[in-house]
Each structure stands twice: as C-alpha cells, then as structure tokens.
Amino acid sequence: MPIKKITAIIDELQWVKVEKALELHGVTGFTVQAVKGRGNYCNTYSENHLVDHTQIVIYTGDQHARRIATLIMQTADVGAESEGLIEITSVDELFWVYEQSLAVASEFKYFEVSRGE
C-alpha cells in the first residue's frame, strides 16, 4: 500500500486544536514548524507583510491521507480568508533512520472517532 505525505499550512492559532484532533484520531507521528508566508491575506502591520503560520508534515497510508487532510481542514477552519492549504503527495520511498529499514503504510495509524467523543 502506498505512503502519502501530507503538508498542511494553517493559522498558528489553530495548531493546538489540530494537534489534539490528530492525537484523538491516532495520528501520533508528525513534524511541526513555524513558518511565514503570504497568500490572499497579508499582514500590513509588519514590514515584510508576511503572516505567521504553522506547517505540519504527516506521513500516512494512502487509505488515511484524505481523511487526515479533511480532519485538519475541519479543525483549523474559522471562516477567515486565506487560512492555509493542505497538499497530499505520493512518497516513492520512506526509511526509518534508526532501524535502517523501509517504512510501510501499515505503521501509520488513523482511527475513526464519532463526533460525540
């Protein structure tokens, strides 16, 4: 089963909610970093007009990628313009450094959780 890479750029203020949602759904492996950028909205109060965002990178199996992207969108959305974007790309090969072995899609989890939980 193929492995996918999800790269999400969201409003930095929504990161804590997104992190909790990912963990609730069993997504425990992700990388997070602060980034700056500009899309439809620019920060006219800063000299360079850049906006602070959070970038999240997640590796997962093909069967989970769309659901994880949807989870991030639904959690991060506050109805504001230019809240961010999410990219899903295919990964040719992914290796675990410590084990020096090929990662497989079944190692990346996602659990369905009902809305009431």
Side-chain angles (χ1 to χ4, degrees):
M1 186 171 310
I3 292 177
K4 297 290 187 177
K5 177 183 177 184
I6 301 167
T7 304
I9 300 172
I10 62 169
D11 182 308
E12 66 174 343
L13 300 176
Q14 301 309 310
W15 163 240
V16 173
K17 288 182 0 184
V18 170
E19 178 185 26
K20 288 179 182 175
L22 291 170
E23 289 177 351
L24 179 65
H25 286 80
V27 181
T28 56
F30 42 79
T31 302
V32 180
Q33 64 183 6
V35 296
K36 291 182 180 285
R38 179 171 51 192
N40 294 335
Y41 173 80
C42 69
N43 182 357
T44 56
Y45 297 104
S46 73
E47 192 173 306
N48 60 12
H49 301 287
L50 297 178
V51 179
D52 294 328
H53 292 288
T54 298
Q55 180 173 306
I56 309 159
V57 175
I58 301 169
Y59 293 97
T60 190
D62 184 43
Q63 77 277 23
H64 302 311
R66 179 66 68 104
R67 289 183 281 186
I68 292 171
T70 300
L71 175 66
I72 294 169
M73 285 186 284
Q74 291 174 343
T75 306
D77 181 22
V78 295
E81 186 179 340
S82 192
E83 290 180 301
L85 41 82
I86 299 174
E87 169 189 46
I88 300 173
T89 55
S90 297
V91 176
D92 292 333
E93 293 182 305
L94 183 65
F95 293 90
W96 296 111
V97 173
Y98 175 73
E99 297 171 355
Q100 298 181 23
S101 64
L102 193 62
V104 294
S106 62
E107 295 173 303
F108 303 99
K109 307 292 184 220
Y110 176 85
F111 305 119
E112 292 293 336
V113 177
S114 68
R115 286 272 183 195
E117 293 183 33

